[in-house]
Amino acid sequence: AQKITQTQPGMFVQEKEAVTLDCTYDTSDPSYGLFWYKQPSSGEMIFLIYQGSYDQQNATEGRYSLNFQKARKSANLVISASQLGDSAMYFCAYGATNKLIFGTGTLLAVQP
Amino acid sequence: DSGVTQTPKHLITATGQRVTLRCSPRSGDLSVYWYQQSLDQGLQFLIQYYNGEERAKGNILERFSAQQFPDLHSELNLSSLELGDSALYFCASSASVGGWTDTQYFGPGTRLTVL
């Protein structure tokens, strides 16, 4: 069965610095997707970025990039130039057929 | 704003009662998914509908049921409610049948409190 692991329950980062949130996964599927979502304190789940298992290049979306290392089965999220509004819970998710399997999340606090 | 709407935003009810949560997907999306987020279980997939048909089932209790209507909105029915059903319930939608490339966009959630 597929599994997603986020080992950092919480992290601090200074405003304007970059931060990396870790995500590893376990699967024997040849094809899969990896997703990152942001959940602010208001509760909604906001899609940030997607990486397909066959994608040769790391995905980027604005200040978000995904450091995808297929052999290591890791899909770390990098947020550049952190802003106070980035303070939130971040979830990594494995895209299996018909559903997402979520990790336990990392709570990021951006300090001024 | 993801374009997915959920009502109500909050729901407070008593044990043993039945409630209905409603979801409207993004315009053009054919798949609707339901997830439950609780402190002890995290985010768990419940069920998926595609164009009116059930496509996949996750850890959904027998007391829970869902359907997707011809206009593609979906309802999640929770009955014989227990204290442990208190959670944030998300609806998500995606464009197609739900493969590993299909991005799911989430609604704002319905926070259910069972007293």
Side-chain angles (χ1 to χ4, degrees):
Chain A
Q2 306 93 350
K3 188 178 176 184
I4 282 273
T5 303
Q6 294 180 256
T7 56
Q8 306 153 313
M11 288 192 72
F12 289 98
V13 65
Q14 290 292 125
E15 202 177 0
K16 300 190 180 109
E17 290 186 352
V19 63
T20 298
L21 307 183
D22 294 342
C23 173
T24 58
Y25 58 94
D26 189 18
T27 185
S28 55
D29 296 334
S31 308
Y32 51 88
L34 295 155
F35 300 80
W36 278 90
Y37 287 85
K38 172 184 178 181
Q39 187 176 36
S41 57
S42 51
E44 72 268 33
M45 292 285 287
I46 302 166
F47 165 70
L48 295 177
I49 196 166
Y50 162 81
Q51 179 86 41
S53 58
Y54 293 117
D55 293 341
Q56 297 294 315
Q57 304 236 346
N58 286 338
T60 60
E61 288 286 349
R63 294 186 299 110
Y64 304 108
S65 61
L66 205 153
N67 183 1
F68 181 49
Q69 298 188 47
K70 193 171 181 178
R72 292 187 174 186
K73 293 187 176 175
S74 74
N76 299 337
L77 177 71
V78 180
I79 306 174
S80 63
S82 296
Q83 301 172 356
L84 295 177
D86 294 334
S87 294
M89 193 73 140
Y90 289 81
F91 290 95
C92 180
Y94 178 92
T97 305
N98 304 111
K99 66 181 180 182
L100 292 172
I101 301 167
F102 285 88
T104 51
T106 296
L107 183 61
L108 178 67
V110 180
Q111 296 177 317
Chain B
D1 187 344
S2 67
V4 179
T5 62
Q6 287 187 250
T7 56
K9 207 167 169 60
H10 301 278
L11 203 46
I12 301 174
T13 188
T15 54
Q17 295 298 304
R18 173 189 166 96
V19 297
T20 297
L21 282 52
R22 185 188 167 106
C23 166
S24 291
R26 293 187 322 156
S27 177
D29 282 359
L30 296 177
S31 274
V32 169
Y33 310 77
W34 287 98
Y35 290 84
Q36 179 194 59
Q37 185 178 31
S38 62
L39 283 173
D40 53 345
Q41 299 284 334
L43 265 158
Q44 298 276 322
F45 167 72
L46 296 179
I47 197 163
Q48 179 211 3
Y49 280 81
Y50 172 74
N51 206 18
E53 301 285 329
E54 182 185 304
R55 288 288 297 193
K57 243 178 177 175
N59 300 324
I60 188 165
L61 300 171
E62 283 193 15
R63 301 183 285 108
F64 295 1
S65 65
Q67 54 183 328
Q68 186 180 28
F69 295 86
D71 67 351
L72 301 177
H73 91 271
S74 177
E75 291 180 358
L76 179 67
N77 299 296
L78 315 176
S79 61
S80 302
L81 285 166
E82 302 174 1
L83 296 177
D85 297 328
S86 295
L88 187 52
Y89 291 85
F90 285 109
C91 167
S93 74
S94 71
S96 69
V97 72
W100 50 277
T101 60
D102 210 14
T103 297
Q104 295 182 27
Y105 294 90
F106 282 70
T110 293
R111 186 166 294 281
L112 174 67
T113 303
V114 182
L115 300 175

